[in-house]
Amino acid sequence: MQLLSSLIDGILIGFVYGVAAVGLTLIWGVMSVINLSHGPVMALGMFSTYLLFANLGVNPYLALIGVAVFGLVLGLVIYTVAVHRVISAPHLSSLLATFAVNMIIIGIGTAVFSTSPHNIDFSLGSISLGPIILPATRLLAAVAAILFTALLYIFLYFTRPGKAIRAVANNRTAAELMGIPSAQVLALSFGIGTALACVAGGLIATFFPFTILSGGPYELKSFVICVLGGLGNPLGALLGGLLLGGLEGLIPTVMPVSWVPVLEFGLFILVLLVKPSGLLGAKS
Amino acid sequence: MAVLEVADLASGYGEVQILWGVNLTLEKGKLTTLVGSNGVGKTTLLRTVMGLLRAIQGTVTFAGQDVTHLAPHARANLGLVLVPEGRQLFTEMTVYENLEMGAFSKRAQAHVQDNLEKVFTLFPRLKERRSQKAGTLSGGEQQMVAVGRGLMAEPELLILDELSLGLSPLLALNLFESLLTLKKSGLTMLLVEQNVQMALAVSDYGYVLAEGKVQLQGEARSLLNNEEVQRTYLGI
């Protein structure tokens, strides 16, 4: 029973990992940019949720809407300032540009918030499903994660700008030739990817303490998840998140918790070697 | 009235200049063919006209407006539309979504239903396949999607680059018949074709491009009978 409980707990967190990874994989899928500012952006999501909660008393789940809007604007700014000019340059350029953004956010964040841990003091008690007892915040986080992923899906498949994003991801030149302003579409995609990272950060902040550096490990997890699900494939990223979350739930029940990253990244390398297109297959 | 006027246009890739002063005028309602061997700059010319390549010198005037420095999507918004070589479909999207994306520009938005009907009348096959991913269609069907997507853009000028490339002679013939239908409806078109005979046979006017310049131009019929054209491009 302990096993099942840990597994479910892990999967619930996995939904949140999934949202962060969907953001990362969206940016990669649309513009082939490996976004190294993803982690600090998640940390900013944590802090903006915290500030809204601690200063204005906003319910953290309600705050997510504001956090998403903040993330969207932040992403548009990062794209316009740091990414757009190197978008057609070799990958190393955009990699370094986003890494620079990463350093800037961490630097400012350290100056403003210091590196001491913050905590959102918000509990909803726990919910018991038969013998399984789950913290309600995790359950709600999973629900919110599903909600945001569903919204993204609806946006990408049923709205004009969403379809334009898929068109640009599929063939940027053809999209331009059809009158789609690709620069704006790329900026929007980067904004949405960043918004998802902020939302994932906000959700994580409801159950773990955090600092401005806390995004780093989640960024790395997002990379593992993206590769598991096939880089550029949002649905794969969500499922990859569940897989990784499940593993994180199960591993500590049979061995010391310090083995978690060893096995995670072992899996990462294994997938890269054996099936580089991802466990779920993906468009190349 | 000239729909497209290319004056003294030069362009190329980086240090390599390909076009050396091209002059070309497309009249409204006419079907024009651009002929030339591989590597003379046909695709370079189209890419420059569309704004995918920057002009080194010269101007591109479209519907009376200087578009030389406009981005490709802004040109598409004016009705300057290219059906690119190799189709360049949105392979991961359905046929219907491809057509929808063709109508992305503001000028096309108002005519979506009309144009959709036109495209489905011209290519009934696409109606059957509307929910299928474009990448899973046969070559001929994909070319229909490419042309259909171009028509959805409500073009003032439709440029077709290597329409018949890789298609069976029968499929190519069918597509050329569709072009004649479009011509009857008054659409201005520019064809770039390796199938020179077929292209000139359906065209009103023709240009021969060689060494980055227009070497010869005239009524399509007279070009078909031109000895040099026959020798170089028709193998007669």
Side-chain angles (χ1 to χ4, degrees):
Chain A
M1 212 29 79
Q2 174 58 35
L3 206 69
L4 187 63
S5 183
S6 304
L7 178 66
I8 292 177
D9 195 42
I11 288 177
L12 290 179
I13 298 179
F15 274 106
V16 180
Y17 291 171
V19 171
V22 168
L24 192 69
T25 212
L26 179 74
I27 291 173
W28 167 262
V30 175
M31 62 196 90
S32 302
V33 166
I34 296 171
N35 180 18
L36 290 185
S37 66
H38 211 63
V41 162
M42 287 178 77
L44 289 182
M46 297 171 184
F47 275 98
S48 38
T49 310
Y50 170 80
L51 291 176
L52 284 171
F53 173 73
N55 295 339
L56 303 173
V58 182
N59 178 298
Y61 298 98
L62 212 57
L64 287 179
I65 298 167
V67 170
V69 173
F70 164 73
L72 183 69
V73 175
L74 179 69
L76 293 176
V77 172
I78 294 177
Y79 179 83
T80 310
V81 174
V83 181
H84 184 64
R85 276 152 207 243
V86 291
I87 196 87
S88 302
H91 286 175
L92 187 61
S93 302
S94 54
L95 195 78
L96 292 175
T98 55
F99 185 67
V101 173
N102 163 85
M103 296 309 289
I104 291 169
I105 295 176
I106 288 178
I108 296 174
T110 307
V112 176
F113 303 113
S114 81
T115 50
S116 54
H118 290 64
N119 180 30
I120 293 181
D121 192 12
F122 181 81
S123 172
L124 294 169
S126 49
I127 291 169
S128 49
L129 299 164
I132 300 156
I133 295 163
L134 298 165
T137 48
R138 304 234 172 142
L139 208 58
L140 271 179
V143 171
I146 294 168
L147 200 68
F148 274 96
T149 313
L151 281 176
L152 176 72
Y153 179 83
I154 291 168
F155 178 73
L156 288 178
Y157 282 82
F158 297 100
T159 71
R160 219 164 84 89
K163 287 179 188 179
I165 288 179
R166 286 166 56 221
V168 169
N170 200 171
N171 190 327
R172 198 188 304 170
T173 306
E176 268 286 325
L177 289 174
M178 291 302 125
I180 300 174
S182 61
Q184 289 170 34
V185 170
L186 293 179
L188 178 64
S189 312
F190 203 94
I192 292 171
T194 304
L196 290 172
C198 280
V199 165
L203 289 172
I204 290 168
T206 60
F207 40 78
F208 293 138
F210 52 90
T211 73
I212 190 68
L213 299 169
S214 293
Y218 296 109
E219 178 178 314
L220 289 175
K221 283 189 214 298
S222 294
F223 279 116
V224 177
I225 291 166
C226 288
V227 168
L228 285 179
L231 209 50
N233 177 350
L235 186 65
L238 187 68
L239 296 176
L242 300 187
L243 182 61
L244 199 75
L247 281 177
E248 284 193 5
L250 284 182
I251 292 168
T253 62
V254 289
M255 57 180 86
V257 71
S258 49
W259 281 93
V260 168
V262 179
L263 291 182
E264 269 178 12
F265 286 92
L267 182 67
F268 181 68
I269 292 173
L270 191 70
V271 172
L272 280 179
L273 288 178
V274 178
K275 200 162 182 306
S277 62
L279 290 178
L280 294 152
K283 53 189 180 184
S284 51
Chain B
M1 195 188 90
V3 172
L4 182 79
E5 207 163 346
V6 172
D8 197 26
L9 194 68
S11 90
Y13 301 87
E15 299 282 294
V16 185
Q17 188 172 342
I18 310 258
L19 300 181
W20 300 83
V22 173
N23 291 289
L24 187 134
T25 306
L26 301 184
E27 297 296 330
K28 192 169 174 57
K30 300 279 190 206
L31 176 50
T32 308
T33 289
L34 180 66
V35 173
S37 314
N38 279 335
V40 298
K42 288 174 299 184
T43 298
T44 307
L45 175 60
L46 296 192
R47 289 177 65 87
T48 315
V49 165
M50 292 310 301
L52 295 170
L53 269 181
R54 195 172 295 183
I56 300 170
Q57 66 168 52
T59 55
V60 179
T61 311
F62 179 71
Q65 188 180 340
D66 183 355
V67 298
T68 317
H69 302 291
L70 286 187
H73 69 88
R75 300 187 199 206
N77 277 325
L78 295 172
L80 178 54
V81 177
L82 170 69
V83 176
E85 184 184 350
R87 307 185 273 270
Q88 306 286 334
L89 296 183
F90 304 120
T91 48
E92 300 288 324
M93 301 173 82
T94 65
V95 168
Y96 185 76
E97 285 173 331
N98 268 273
L99 297 176
E100 260 188 318
M101 287 298 104
F104 191 87
S105 70
K106 262 204 192 85
R107 60 178 277 117
Q109 279 293 297
H111 307 277
V112 174
Q113 280 314 317
D114 286 355
N115 283 333
L116 203 57
E117 214 157 289
K118 249 187 244 169
V119 170
F120 284 153
T121 312
L122 198 61
F123 304 120
R125 183 70 66 86
L126 295 188
K127 196 169 185 175
E128 296 165 27
R129 307 260 154 147
R130 56 192 290 168
S131 306
Q132 208 169 318
K133 264 192 190 174
T136 65
L137 301 181
S138 72
E141 290 166 340
Q142 290 200 11
Q143 195 57 274
M144 291 176 198
V145 178
V147 176
R149 187 180 62 176
L151 290 172
M152 292 299 291
E154 185 72 17
E156 195 76 33
L157 167 63
L158 189 65
I159 306 177
L160 302 129
D161 194 5
E162 301 292 7
L163 190 66
S164 70
L165 197 68
L167 298 185
S168 73
L170 183 66
L171 279 172
L173 195 66
N174 287 342
L175 271 173
F176 273 97
E177 277 170 6
S178 318
L179 294 188
L180 284 175
T181 312
L182 292 172
K183 195 188 140 190
K184 272 187 204 131
S185 74
L187 184 63
T188 315
M189 285 178 283
L190 173 63
L191 273 182
V192 175
E193 260 298 326
Q194 32 95 35
N195 192 337
V196 174
Q197 180 134 33
M198 213 192 260
L200 283 177
V202 299
S203 293
D204 301 303
Y205 203 78
Y207 286 88
V208 178
L209 200 65
E211 293 165 4
K213 277 183 177 170
V214 171
Q215 296 291 339
L216 203 61
Q217 59 174 297
E219 300 289 325
R221 192 166 310 225
S222 73
L223 284 183
L224 262 180
N225 296 323
N226 181 295
E227 268 185 33
E228 200 191 320
V229 172
Q230 289 187 342
R231 203 175 45 242
T232 317
Y233 305 105
L234 302 177
I236 300 173

